[in-house]
Amino acid sequence: MAIGWQPGWVVPSLAQVRDLHLLAYGRSMANDHPCDVALAEGIGTAISWVQGAIQLGPATARSESPLTRALVTAEMWAAMALNDGGGTSERTLRGVCTREGVRYYRPDFERLTLDHGTGIYQALGWLIANGDGWRGGRTPPLEIPARDEDGNVANDRRSRELAEQIERIRADAAAEIDRDCR
């Protein structure tokens, strides 16, 4: 499965998802603060999982295949438990899994931080536009450029700035890969 592919149940456009992925990558590389890095890593890992680039769920390491909206919903709720330090009860998580018809997996509290959970929760909620997601699943976790239906960047100053930032991140990542391959 090629990176950049996404299931039909993902609500944002492929261009919007790519924008968020690159901005999260850039944020993780440009930051020294562990909370910012973990948030960005959570966002990037969630997107990579939904697009098939990694096989294990970002909040629980679930491995079912094929990936479905129901599995993503359960993983979003597990990430919510990470995000709130376990405030979302196991009973609630098991209830979500039962409702969605998927197996329960415990959130990985030992490996992941609250900030990882926040990034995963926000990204998954946005990807599936889940009403239980952050801001009702309507807002991406990081600001992304506005785009028209054809994927063209909107003609406003902030969208152009974000698009330029994305291109710099893409160029820096390509240069880093080139250096590593030498």
Side-chain angles (χ1 to χ4, degrees):
M1 186 177 317
I3 295 176
W5 168 89
Q6 67 185 28
W9 40 259
V10 170
V11 176
S13 71
L14 182 56
Q16 291 171 311
V17 174
R18 284 180 180 156
D19 288 346
L20 179 60
H21 205 184
L22 280 164
L23 288 166
Y25 173 77
R27 184 171 181 168
S28 72
M29 299 309 288
N31 255 296
D32 292 330
H33 196 281
C35 294
D36 285 338
V37 172
L39 176 84
E41 286 174 351
I43 294 167
T45 302
I47 292 170
S48 293
W49 179 58
V50 167
Q51 290 187 330
I54 61 173
Q55 300 304 308
L56 299 179
T60 65
R62 69 173 58 246
S63 61
E64 293 100 332
S65 184
L67 189 59
T68 63
R69 190 179 197 287
L71 290 169
V72 172
T73 299
E75 196 75 4
M76 181 197 79
W77 277 85
M80 183 186 303
L82 291 168
N83 172 63
D84 65 21
T88 302
S89 70
E90 182 177 329
R91 176 184 292 242
T92 299
L93 298 177
R94 286 182 179 279
V96 167
C97 290
T98 298
R99 184 186 73 223
E100 296 296 329
V102 300
R103 185 172 160 212
Y104 168 76
Y105 282 78
R106 184 178 182 280
D108 192 348
F109 291 105
E110 291 75 34
R111 184 177 57 88
L112 299 169
T113 68
L114 295 171
D115 299 299
H116 285 108
T118 301
I120 296 165
Y121 167 67
Q122 291 178 354
L124 293 179
W126 177 69
L127 288 168
I128 61 174
N130 188 297
D132 291 317
W134 181 67
R135 295 188 176 174
R138 295 182 307 273
T139 305
L142 301 174
E143 185 181 18
I144 60 174
R147 292 183 177 271
D148 65 19
E149 287 185 17
D150 294 326
N152 300 311
V153 174
N155 193 20
D156 64 79
R157 187 177 62 81
R158 184 63 181 147
S159 291
R160 287 191 307 269
E161 287 172 354
L162 289 165
E164 289 169 7
Q165 182 180 356
I166 289 166
E167 289 310 313
R168 282 192 304 274
I169 293 166
R170 190 184 319 269
D172 291 348
E176 186 176 321
I177 290 169
D178 189 48
R179 278 191 307 274
D180 290 347
C181 290
R182 287 184 191 171

mmCIF file of all heavy atoms in Angstrom, residues 13-58:
data_model
loop_
_atom_site.group_PDB
_atom_site.id
_atom_site.type_symbol
_atom_site.label_atom_id
_atom_site.label_comp_id
_atom_site.label_asym_id
_atom_site.label_seq_id
_atom_site.Cartn_x
_atom_site.Cartn_y
_atom_site.Cartn_z
ATOM 1 N N SER A 13 -9.710 15.695 2.711
ATOM 2 C CA SER A 13 -9.115 15.323 1.422
ATOM 3 C C SER A 13 -7.693 14.794 1.629
ATOM 4 O O SER A 13 -7.052 15.070 2.651
ATOM 5 C CB SER A 13 -9.082 16.533 0.489
ATOM 6 O OG SER A 13 -8.110 17.465 0.939
ATOM 7 N N LEU A 14 -7.215 14.070 0.651
ATOM 8 C CA LEU A 14 -5.847 13.558 0.704
ATOM 9 C C LEU A 14 -4.848 14.715 0.826
ATOM 10 O O LEU A 14 -3.879 14.622 1.583
ATOM 11 C CB LEU A 14 -5.546 12.717 -0.536
ATOM 12 C CG LEU A 14 -4.165 12.069 -0.612
ATOM 13 C CD1 LEU A 14 -3.887 11.193 0.604
ATOM 14 C CD2 LEU A 14 -4.044 11.258 -1.896
ATOM 15 N N ALA A 15 -5.092 15.819 0.132
ATOM 16 C CA ALA A 15 -4.193 16.987 0.221
ATOM 17 C C ALA A 15 -4.172 17.536 1.647
ATOM 18 O O ALA A 15 -3.106 17.879 2.166
ATOM 19 C CB ALA A 15 -4.623 18.072 -0.766
ATOM 20 N N GLN A 16 -5.324 17.612 2.301
ATOM 21 C CA GLN A 16 -5.373 18.111 3.678
ATOM 22 C C GLN A 16 -4.626 17.175 4.628
ATOM 23 O O GLN A 16 -3.910 17.633 5.520
ATOM 24 C CB GLN A 16 -6.823 18.260 4.141
ATOM 25 C CG GLN A 16 -7.570 19.364 3.445
ATOM 26 C CD GLN A 16 -9.049 19.330 3.781
ATOM 27 O OE1 GLN A 16 -9.703 18.295 3.703
ATOM 28 N NE2 GLN A 16 -9.582 20.486 4.168
ATOM 29 N N VAL A 17 -4.789 15.873 4.424
ATOM 30 C CA VAL A 17 -4.111 14.897 5.287
ATOM 31 C C VAL A 17 -2.602 14.986 5.074
ATOM 32 O O VAL A 17 -1.826 14.966 6.033
ATOM 33 C CB VAL A 17 -4.648 13.474 5.033
ATOM 34 C CG1 VAL A 17 -3.849 12.438 5.812
ATOM 35 C CG2 VAL A 17 -6.133 13.389 5.395
ATOM 36 N N ARG A 18 -2.176 15.106 3.827
ATOM 37 C CA ARG A 18 -0.742 15.257 3.543
ATOM 38 C C ARG A 18 -0.187 16.525 4.189
ATOM 39 O O ARG A 18 0.909 16.523 4.753
ATOM 40 C CB ARG A 18 -0.497 15.306 2.037
ATOM 41 C CG ARG A 18 -0.599 13.978 1.361
ATOM 42 C CD ARG A 18 -0.335 14.129 -0.126
ATOM 43 N NE ARG A 18 -0.422 12.856 -0.799
ATOM 44 C CZ ARG A 18 -0.690 12.705 -2.070
ATOM 45 N NH1 ARG A 18 -0.883 13.772 -2.839
ATOM 46 N NH2 ARG A 18 -0.744 11.507 -2.607
ATOM 47 N N ASP A 19 -0.946 17.613 4.094
ATOM 48 C CA ASP A 19 -0.510 18.869 4.713
ATOM 49 C C ASP A 19 -0.303 18.680 6.209
ATOM 50 O O ASP A 19 0.742 19.065 6.754
ATOM 51 C CB ASP A 19 -1.548 19.978 4.490
ATOM 52 C CG ASP A 19 -1.604 20.487 3.061
ATOM 53 O OD1 ASP A 19 -0.680 20.206 2.269
ATOM 54 O OD2 ASP A 19 -2.601 21.185 2.746
ATOM 55 N N LEU A 20 -1.281 18.080 6.880
ATOM 56 C CA LEU A 20 -1.171 17.882 8.319
ATOM 57 C C LEU A 20 0.012 16.987 8.654
ATOM 58 O O LEU A 20 0.767 17.266 9.586
ATOM 59 C CB LEU A 20 -2.469 17.288 8.888
ATOM 60 C CG LEU A 20 -2.437 17.023 10.393
ATOM 61 C CD1 LEU A 20 -2.191 18.306 11.181
ATOM 62 C CD2 LEU A 20 -3.728 16.340 10.825
ATOM 63 N N HIS A 21 0.196 15.934 7.876
ATOM 64 C CA HIS A 21 1.300 15.002 8.126
ATOM 65 C C HIS A 21 2.649 15.710 8.030
ATOM 66 O O HIS A 21 3.516 15.551 8.897
ATOM 67 C CB HIS A 21 1.207 13.839 7.149
ATOM 68 C CG HIS A 21 1.858 12.596 7.633
ATOM 69 N ND1 HIS A 21 1.940 11.465 6.853
ATOM 70 C CD2 HIS A 21 2.469 12.261 8.797
ATOM 71 C CE1 HIS A 21 2.557 10.517 7.520
ATOM 72 N NE2 HIS A 21 2.893 10.977 8.703
ATOM 73 N N LEU A 22 2.823 16.496 6.994
ATOM 74 C CA LEU A 22 4.091 17.209 6.830
ATOM 75 C C LEU A 22 4.289 18.284 7.897
ATOM 76 O O LEU A 22 5.397 18.453 8.416
ATOM 77 C CB LEU A 22 4.183 17.818 5.430
ATOM 78 C CG LEU A 22 4.580 16.812 4.356
ATOM 79 C CD1 LEU A 22 4.285 17.355 2.970
ATOM 80 C CD2 LEU A 22 6.048 16.436 4.490
ATOM 81 N N LEU A 23 3.237 18.996 8.258
ATOM 82 C CA LEU A 23 3.372 20.012 9.299
ATOM 83 C C LEU A 23 3.692 19.372 10.651
ATOM 84 O O LEU A 23 4.482 19.914 11.427
ATOM 85 C CB LEU A 23 2.106 20.869 9.377
ATOM 86 C CG LEU A 23 1.945 21.834 8.196
ATOM 87 C CD1 LEU A 23 0.529 22.396 8.143
ATOM 88 C CD2 LEU A 23 2.973 22.950 8.271
ATOM 89 N N ALA A 24 3.108 18.208 10.922
ATOM 90 C CA ALA A 24 3.432 17.496 12.166
ATOM 91 C C ALA A 24 4.885 17.033 12.149
ATOM 92 O O ALA A 24 5.600 17.164 13.146
ATOM 93 C CB ALA A 24 2.491 16.306 12.353
ATOM 94 N N TYR A 25 5.337 16.532 11.010
ATOM 95 C CA TYR A 25 6.737 16.114 10.889
ATOM 96 C C TYR A 25 7.663 17.301 11.118
ATOM 97 O O TYR A 25 8.633 17.226 11.882
ATOM 98 C CB TYR A 25 6.988 15.496 9.508
ATOM 99 C CG TYR A 25 8.437 15.203 9.251
ATOM 100 C CD1 TYR A 25 9.050 14.096 9.835
ATOM 101 C CD2 TYR A 25 9.205 16.037 8.446
ATOM 102 C CE1 TYR A 25 10.391 13.832 9.624
ATOM 103 C CE2 TYR A 25 10.543 15.778 8.221
ATOM 104 C CZ TYR A 25 11.133 14.672 8.808
ATOM 105 O OH TYR A 25 12.463 14.422 8.589
ATOM 106 N N GLY A 26 7.359 18.423 10.481
ATOM 107 C CA GLY A 26 8.180 19.615 10.654
ATOM 108 C C GLY A 26 8.197 20.088 12.096
ATOM 109 O O GLY A 26 9.242 20.481 12.620
ATOM 110 N N ARG A 27 7.052 20.013 12.747
ATOM 111 C CA ARG A 27 6.975 20.432 14.156
ATOM 112 C C ARG A 27 7.812 19.508 15.041
ATOM 113 O O ARG A 27 8.490 19.967 15.964
ATOM 114 C CB ARG A 27 5.525 20.438 14.610
ATOM 115 C CG ARG A 27 5.350 20.957 16.011
ATOM 116 C CD ARG A 27 3.889 21.150 16.338
ATOM 117 N NE ARG A 27 3.728 21.676 17.679
ATOM 118 C CZ ARG A 27 2.616 22.144 18.157
ATOM 119 N NH1 ARG A 27 1.537 22.168 17.399
ATOM 120 N NH2 ARG A 27 2.546 22.590 19.390
ATOM 121 N N SER A 28 7.791 18.229 14.756
ATOM 122 C CA SER A 28 8.580 17.296 15.578
ATOM 123 C C SER A 28 10.078 17.503 15.371
ATOM 124 O O SER A 28 10.858 17.361 16.308
ATOM 125 C CB SER A 28 8.189 15.846 15.300
ATOM 126 O OG SER A 28 8.648 15.427 14.033
ATOM 127 N N MET A 29 10.478 17.865 14.172
ATOM 128 C CA MET A 29 11.899 18.056 13.881
ATOM 129 C C MET A 29 12.409 19.420 14.368
ATOM 130 O O MET A 29 13.583 19.548 14.693
ATOM 131 C CB MET A 29 12.151 17.919 12.375
ATOM 132 C CG MET A 29 11.790 16.552 11.821
ATOM 133 S SD MET A 29 12.516 15.174 12.721
ATOM 134 C CE MET A 29 14.198 15.309 12.224
ATOM 135 N N ALA A 30 11.537 20.395 14.440
ATOM 136 C CA ALA A 30 11.961 21.759 14.785
ATOM 137 C C ALA A 30 11.852 22.066 16.271
ATOM 138 O O ALA A 30 12.210 23.156 16.691
ATOM 139 C CB ALA A 30 11.122 22.767 14.000
ATOM 140 N N ASN A 31 11.370 21.130 17.058
ATOM 141 C CA ASN A 31 11.112 21.398 18.459
ATOM 142 C C ASN A 31 12.053 20.639 19.364
ATOM 143 O O ASN A 31 12.390 19.490 19.100
ATOM 144 C CB ASN A 31 9.676 20.985 18.812
ATOM 145 C CG ASN A 31 8.774 22.167 18.953
ATOM 146 O OD1 ASN A 31 8.979 22.978 19.841
ATOM 147 N ND2 ASN A 31 7.796 22.272 18.071
ATOM 148 N N ASP A 32 12.423 21.281 20.450
ATOM 149 C CA ASP A 32 13.217 20.626 21.483
ATOM 150 C C ASP A 32 12.368 20.240 22.678
ATOM 151 O O ASP A 32 12.795 19.452 23.511
ATOM 152 C CB ASP A 32 14.344 21.556 21.962
ATOM 153 C CG ASP A 32 15.389 21.783 20.887
ATOM 154 O OD1 ASP A 32 15.594 20.873 20.059
ATOM 155 O OD2 ASP A 32 15.982 22.871 20.875
ATOM 156 N N HIS A 33 11.188 20.815 22.774
ATOM 157 C CA HIS A 33 10.354 20.535 23.935
ATOM 158 C C HIS A 33 9.690 19.168 23.771
ATOM 159 O O HIS A 33 9.009 18.915 22.780
ATOM 160 C CB HIS A 33 9.291 21.619 24.117
ATOM 161 C CG HIS A 33 8.687 21.586 25.472
ATOM 162 N ND1 HIS A 33 7.727 20.673 25.822
ATOM 163 C CD2 HIS A 33 8.934 22.333 26.574
ATOM 164 C CE1 HIS A 33 7.390 20.859 27.082
ATOM 165 N NE2 HIS A 33 8.113 21.868 27.564
ATOM 166 N N PRO A 34 9.880 18.255 24.720
ATOM 167 C CA PRO A 34 9.350 16.899 24.579
ATOM 168 C C PRO A 34 7.835 16.844 24.413
ATOM 169 O O PRO A 34 7.329 15.948 23.724
ATOM 170 C CB PRO A 34 9.778 16.192 25.863
ATOM 171 C CG PRO A 34 10.537 17.154 26.684
ATOM 172 C CD PRO A 34 10.635 18.447 25.955
ATOM 173 N N CYS A 35 7.104 17.776 25.000
ATOM 174 C CA CYS A 35 5.643 17.764 24.856
ATOM 175 C C CYS A 35 5.236 18.073 23.414
ATOM 176 O O CYS A 35 4.352 17.411 22.861
ATOM 177 C CB CYS A 35 4.998 18.757 25.816
ATOM 178 S SG CYS A 35 5.208 18.328 27.543
ATOM 179 N N ASP A 36 5.884 19.064 22.795
ATOM 180 C CA ASP A 36 5.579 19.395 21.396
ATOM 181 C C ASP A 36 5.973 18.265 20.460
ATOM 182 O O ASP A 36 5.255 17.954 19.512
ATOM 183 C CB ASP A 36 6.299 20.680 20.978
ATOM 184 C CG ASP A 36 5.661 21.925 21.551
ATOM 185 O OD1 ASP A 36 4.472 21.878 21.907
ATOM 186 O OD2 ASP A 36 6.359 22.949 21.648
ATOM 187 N N VAL A 37 7.127 17.664 20.729
ATOM 188 C CA VAL A 37 7.582 16.544 19.898
ATOM 189 C C VAL A 37 6.601 15.389 20.009
ATOM 190 O O VAL A 37 6.200 14.794 19.003
ATOM 191 C CB VAL A 37 9.018 16.111 20.285
ATOM 192 C CG1 VAL A 37 9.419 14.832 19.571
ATOM 193 C CG2 VAL A 37 10.007 17.229 19.963
ATOM 194 N N ALA A 38 6.176 15.043 21.226
ATOM 195 C CA ALA A 38 5.258 13.926 21.428
ATOM 196 C C ALA A 38 3.904 14.183 20.764
ATOM 197 O O ALA A 38 3.330 13.277 20.142
ATOM 198 C CB ALA A 38 5.086 13.650 22.918
ATOM 199 N N LEU A 39 3.393 15.402 20.864
ATOM 200 C CA LEU A 39 2.137 15.749 20.207
ATOM 201 C C LEU A 39 2.259 15.537 18.699
ATOM 202 O O LEU A 39 1.412 14.888 18.079
ATOM 203 C CB LEU A 39 1.752 17.195 20.507
ATOM 204 C CG LEU A 39 0.494 17.677 19.782
ATOM 205 C CD1 LEU A 39 -0.750 17.278 20.538
ATOM 206 C CD2 LEU A 39 0.536 19.169 19.569
ATOM 207 N N ALA A 40 3.324 16.064 18.109
ATOM 208 C CA ALA A 40 3.537 15.933 16.662
ATOM 209 C C ALA A 40 3.736 14.474 16.264
ATOM 210 O O ALA A 40 3.216 14.036 15.237
ATOM 211 C CB ALA A 40 4.731 16.782 16.236
ATOM 212 N N GLU A 41 4.468 13.723 17.073
ATOM 213 C CA GLU A 41 4.650 12.295 16.791
ATOM 214 C C GLU A 41 3.315 11.555 16.833
ATOM 215 O O GLU A 41 3.061 10.674 16.012
ATOM 216 C CB GLU A 41 5.615 11.668 17.793
ATOM 217 C CG GLU A 41 7.060 12.055 17.568
ATOM 218 C CD GLU A 41 7.981 11.532 18.662
ATOM 219 O OE1 GLU A 41 7.498 11.003 19.700
ATOM 220 O OE2 GLU A 41 9.207 11.658 18.480
ATOM 221 N N GLY A 42 2.467 11.916 17.793
ATOM 222 C CA GLY A 42 1.148 11.284 17.877
ATOM 223 C C GLY A 42 0.325 11.535 16.633
ATOM 224 O O GLY A 42 -0.300 10.623 16.087
ATOM 225 N N ILE A 43 0.338 12.771 16.153
ATOM 226 C CA ILE A 43 -0.396 13.121 14.929
ATOM 227 C C ILE A 43 0.150 12.309 13.753
ATOM 228 O O ILE A 43 -0.602 11.682 13.001
ATOM 229 C CB ILE A 43 -0.288 14.628 14.637
ATOM 230 C CG1 ILE A 43 -1.008 15.432 15.721
ATOM 231 C CG2 ILE A 43 -0.842 14.962 13.247
ATOM 232 C CD1 ILE A 43 -0.695 16.925 15.701
ATOM 233 N N GLY A 44 1.471 12.333 13.589
ATOM 234 C CA GLY A 44 2.089 11.631 12.454
ATOM 235 C C GLY A 44 1.860 10.130 12.500
ATOM 236 O O GLY A 44 1.590 9.502 11.465
ATOM 237 N N THR A 45 1.937 9.551 13.680
ATOM 238 C CA THR A 45 1.731 8.107 13.812
ATOM 239 C C THR A 45 0.288 7.741 13.483
ATOM 240 O O THR A 45 0.031 6.737 12.817
ATOM 241 C CB THR A 45 2.111 7.641 15.232
ATOM 242 O OG1 THR A 45 3.470 7.989 15.481
ATOM 243 C CG2 THR A 45 1.956 6.146 15.380
ATOM 244 N N ALA A 46 -0.663 8.550 13.936
ATOM 245 C CA ALA A 46 -2.070 8.282 13.634
ATOM 246 C C ALA A 46 -2.317 8.300 12.127
ATOM 247 O O ALA A 46 -2.968 7.408 11.583
ATOM 248 C CB ALA A 46 -2.961 9.310 14.342
ATOM 249 N N ILE A 47 -1.780 9.301 11.454
ATOM 250 C CA ILE A 47 -1.958 9.390 9.999
ATOM 251 C C ILE A 47 -1.274 8.211 9.312
ATOM 252 O O ILE A 47 -1.852 7.583 8.411
ATOM 253 C CB ILE A 47 -1.428 10.736 9.463
ATOM 254 C CG1 ILE A 47 -2.302 11.884 9.970
ATOM 255 C CG2 ILE A 47 -1.372 10.732 7.931
ATOM 256 C CD1 ILE A 47 -1.739 13.267 9.706
ATOM 257 N N SER A 48 -0.063 7.893 9.728
ATOM 258 C CA SER A 48 0.662 6.770 9.109
ATOM 259 C C SER A 48 -0.110 5.464 9.261
ATOM 260 O O SER A 48 -0.145 4.644 8.346
ATOM 261 C CB SER A 48 2.054 6.633 9.733
ATOM 262 O OG SER A 48 2.846 7.750 9.405
ATOM 263 N N TRP A 49 -0.732 5.265 10.412
ATOM 264 C CA TRP A 49 -1.516 4.043 10.645
ATOM 265 C C TRP A 49 -2.739 4.002 9.729
ATOM 266 O O TRP A 49 -2.992 2.997 9.062
ATOM 267 C CB TRP A 49 -1.924 3.979 12.117
ATOM 268 C CG TRP A 49 -2.744 2.798 12.503
ATOM 269 C CD1 TRP A 49 -2.406 1.477 12.358
ATOM 270 C CD2 TRP A 49 -4.034 2.812 13.100
ATOM 271 N NE1 TRP A 49 -3.412 0.680 12.846
ATOM 272 C CE2 TRP A 49 -4.424 1.476 13.316
ATOM 273 C CE3 TRP A 49 -4.893 3.826 13.506
ATOM 274 C CZ2 TRP A 49 -5.642 1.124 13.902
ATOM 275 C CZ3 TRP A 49 -6.095 3.483 14.091
ATOM 276 C CH2 TRP A 49 -6.460 2.153 14.279
ATOM 277 N N VAL A 50 -3.480 5.105 9.654
ATOM 278 C CA VAL A 50 -4.685 5.129 8.828
ATOM 279 C C VAL A 50 -4.337 4.955 7.349
ATOM 280 O O VAL A 50 -5.074 4.307 6.606
ATOM 281 C CB VAL A 50 -5.497 6.425 9.082
ATOM 282 C CG1 VAL A 50 -6.573 6.630 8.039
ATOM 283 C CG2 VAL A 50 -6.101 6.388 10.493
ATOM 284 N N GLN A 51 -3.179 5.460 6.930
ATOM 285 C CA GLN A 51 -2.780 5.337 5.529
ATOM 286 C C GLN A 51 -2.070 4.016 5.234
ATOM 287 O O GLN A 51 -1.688 3.766 4.099
ATOM 288 C CB GLN A 51 -1.899 6.511 5.113
ATOM 289 C CG GLN A 51 -2.680 7.804 5.027
ATOM 290 C CD GLN A 51 -1.877 8.950 4.457
ATOM 291 O OE1 GLN A 51 -0.660 9.014 4.604
ATOM 292 N NE2 GLN A 51 -2.557 9.857 3.806
ATOM 293 N N GLY A 52 -1.870 3.196 6.241
ATOM 294 C CA GLY A 52 -1.291 1.872 6.010
ATOM 295 C C GLY A 52 0.220 1.815 6.027
ATOM 296 O O GLY A 52 0.800 0.781 5.705
ATOM 297 N N ALA A 53 0.888 2.888 6.414
ATOM 298 C CA ALA A 53 2.355 2.894 6.440
ATOM 299 C C ALA A 53 2.891 2.143 7.661
ATOM 300 O O ALA A 53 4.024 1.676 7.636
ATOM 301 C CB ALA A 53 2.893 4.321 6.421
ATOM 302 N N ILE A 54 2.105 2.060 8.721
ATOM 303 C CA ILE A 54 2.453 1.242 9.884
ATOM 304 C C ILE A 54 1.262 0.332 10.189
ATOM 305 O O ILE A 54 0.122 0.674 9.868
ATOM 306 C CB ILE A 54 2.859 2.080 11.124
ATOM 307 C CG1 ILE A 54 1.721 2.989 11.572
ATOM 308 C CG2 ILE A 54 4.108 2.885 10.844
ATOM 309 C CD1 ILE A 54 1.986 3.716 12.874
ATOM 310 N N GLN A 55 1.534 -0.803 10.805
ATOM 311 C CA GLN A 55 0.486 -1.801 10.992
ATOM 312 C C GLN A 55 -0.133 -1.822 12.381
ATOM 313 O O GLN A 55 -1.198 -2.389 12.566
ATOM 314 C CB GLN A 55 1.047 -3.193 10.664
ATOM 315 C CG GLN A 55 1.547 -3.315 9.239
ATOM 316 C CD GLN A 55 0.480 -2.955 8.220
ATOM 317 O OE1 GLN A 55 -0.624 -3.478 8.253
ATOM 318 N NE2 GLN A 55 0.797 -2.044 7.308
ATOM 319 N N LEU A 56 0.528 -1.228 13.364
ATOM 320 C CA LEU A 56 0.038 -1.292 14.737
ATOM 321 C C LEU A 56 -0.654 0.009 15.127
ATOM 322 O O LEU A 56 -0.147 1.098 14.854
ATOM 323 C CB LEU A 56 1.187 -1.572 15.703
ATOM 324 C CG LEU A 56 1.922 -2.895 15.486
ATOM 325 C CD1 LEU A 56 3.060 -3.033 16.486
ATOM 326 C CD2 LEU A 56 0.971 -4.085 15.569
ATOM 327 N N GLY A 57 -1.794 -0.134 15.779
ATOM 328 C CA GLY A 57 -2.531 1.043 16.238
ATOM 329 C C GLY A 57 -1.666 1.930 17.105
ATOM 330 O O GLY A 57 -0.926 1.437 17.963
ATOM 331 N N PRO A 58 -1.749 3.237 16.926
ATOM 332 C CA PRO A 58 -0.847 4.147 17.618
ATOM 333 C C PRO A 58 -1.069 4.252 19.129
ATOM 334 O O PRO A 58 -0.143 4.584 19.862
ATOM 335 C CB PRO A 58 -1.095 5.494 16.938
ATOM 336 C CG PRO A 58 -2.462 5.381 16.356
ATOM 337 C CD PRO A 58 -2.647 3.943 16.009
#
